[in-house]
Amino acid sequence: MATNHLSRREFLRNSALATGALLLSGTTLSSFSVSKKITVIVMGAGFAGLSAANQLKKKGYNVIVLEAKGRIGGRVFSTPIQDNSPLIVELGAEWVGDSHTRIKELCGEFGLKLNNNQFDSDLIYRDEYFTTGRWKYSDEWEVKFNKILKDFHQFSQDDKEKLDRMDWWRFLVNNGCEGRDLEIRELLDSTDFGETIRHVSAFAALAEYAESSPKNEMDFKIEGGNSQLAHKFADAIGRENIHLKHAVTKVIQPRKGKVTVECSNGKTFQADKIICTLPTFAVSKVIWEPGLESKYIAAINELQYARINKNPVLFNDRFWKREDFDMVTDRVPHYFYHATKNQQHEKGVLLSYTIGDKAAVVAAQTDEWRAKQIDETLAKAFGPVKDKIEGQLNYFWGSDEYSRGAYAIYGKGQWFRVMPILKRPHVNTFFAGEHLADWQGFMEGAINSGEEMAEKV
Ligand SMILES: Cc1cc2nc3c(=O)[nH]c(=O)nc-3n(C[C@H](O)[C@H](O)[C@H](O)COP(=O)(O)OP(=O)(O)OC[C@H]3O[C@@H](n4cnc5c(N)ncnc54)[C@H](O)[C@@H]3O)c2cc1C
């Protein structure tokens, strides 16, 4: 393979810079010299929108944040497991990665504590239970995979684009992963992408594994829940500038003059620029005048989002004993982890996490059905646990009204082709969000892309 050290991150940073150059060439200088008077509408109060608004506010711009839901945070969604319970669970993003420098920096700035949230995995595979340390991949595959991770850093751009045209499952098979190794990798890796790895670009997967922290960015959680960061952002932006229950329905952008944004509640806002941080499903529901270019619409139509179901279950004791307990299974409740690590209490929450088709099945059933599946699966390790269940929540991102998924999933041939199209601005609208980021699928990515677009404006 030819050597070229352009990483996934560098590629995206470079393409973002190119987008920025295009934007600057299409905008009059006068609009930049009166920054104080410029008003920017930010569509969406997830981490991309809030981080963009925070940066703009710091620079002295007028900011109007329009959010469809009745809460801030978007796909970061911390909530008590039951009304008045001190135990907080995450229905959206869970882990802050050790390599995620910007979110760690912001937590420092805002005085938020990051707690260790690393786990060591047990496994249930083919009706056998293995505690952590008692299962592993074959030595042969370990050697091969470590070499693959190392070689990735020598890949040329051409190598990477070739890799992108293959799915991750096929890549593993072609590189000698088979039998038990393949089945376990498929179980584990598909939890990262939220759909079977047969749908994931081999480039997106390998770049993630080769460039991530040893625990694959499953390192920390913000004390009190990840939504604490959304609240800190909102205080810095000024709550009066954030309008909840304001779903944008129409964006009118004349070639000259102000943009007008209409909301479903009849309110209308005017501004000079827009930063749109909506997931692509929500972008497609907005009426754009003039309309989005056909290539942009085709890119939206191509991109899928992962179906993840989160089912946190409250138990009256922490029978799993280890605070850092998690477990991968080949059963219907695919993956369990201790969701109340670092929260002192006699009760505790195990979160049952499912992806893809399994997630859709689990989401469609009753609490009773889910409890039975969980009981039958955990019995293998702990004996019957059904009587210990005190309650549960369930959130299926596959039917979330605005995203219809947890995060974007770049499939075969999409990373280098689809993402650059989705990053293109539309008249005075700049697009941001997790799906357009270098750290795609992470809070870090959402923040990076929000701040990057705030710089461009
Ligand atoms: C189940 C799950 C697990 C995850 N796990 C992790 C993890 O462990 N670690 C990690 O770093 N990341 C994780 N993520 C990803 C992370 O949550 C996202 O990358 C990030 O929060 C996305 O932020 P965003 O601002 O791009 O989008 P969003 O948070 O979706 O923000 C967009 C906002 O726009 C609003 N909106 C939509 N339509 C309109 C409209 N018409 N008008 C106005 N507002 C509108 C939405 O309501 C939303 O609030 C996970 C996500 C999910 C769902």
Side-chain angles (χ1 to χ4, degrees), residues 43-49 66-69 71 73-76 91-96 100 246-249 277-279 282 286 308 310 353 397 402-403 405-407 432-435 441-444 446:
M43 291 163 59
F47 273 21
L66 301 174
E67 166 56 49
K69 291 187 174 171
R71 61 171 183 85
R75 282 171 276 168
V76 178
L91 295 178
E94 191 82 38
W95 287 275
V96 172
H100 296 167
H246 279 63
V248 173
T249 48
T277 69
L278 276 39
V286 172
I308 294 178
K310 277 194 151 188
Y353 176 108
W397 286 92
Y402 297 103
S403 62
Y407 34 78
E434 135 317 284
H435 59 294
F442 291 102
M443 294 180 275
E444 176 78 359

Side-chain angles (χ1 to χ4, degrees), residues 182-227:
L182 181 62
E183 286 175 7
I184 296 179
R185 265 227 86 95
E186 192 164 6
L187 285 172
L188 261 80
D189 295 359
S190 56
T191 63
D192 291 330
F193 296 97
E195 292 282 340
T196 163
I197 53 169
R198 295 169 196 231
H199 292 166
V200 176
S201 148
F203 168 76
L206 185 53
E208 184 164 325
Y209 295 128
E211 295 177 356
S212 287
S213 66
K215 284 278 185 189
N216 198 23
E217 308 305 344
M218 294 160 82
D219 295 307
F220 305 103
K221 184 154 79 177
I222 298 174
E223 185 152 291
N226 294 327
S227 293

Side-chain angles (χ1 to χ4, degrees), residues 11-25 425 452 456:
F11 169 81
L12 287 165
R13 203 165 298 128
N14 291 349
S15 62
L17 286 173
T19 315
L22 275 176
L23 276 170
L24 284 167
S25 66
E452 193 177 295
K456 306 251 182 311

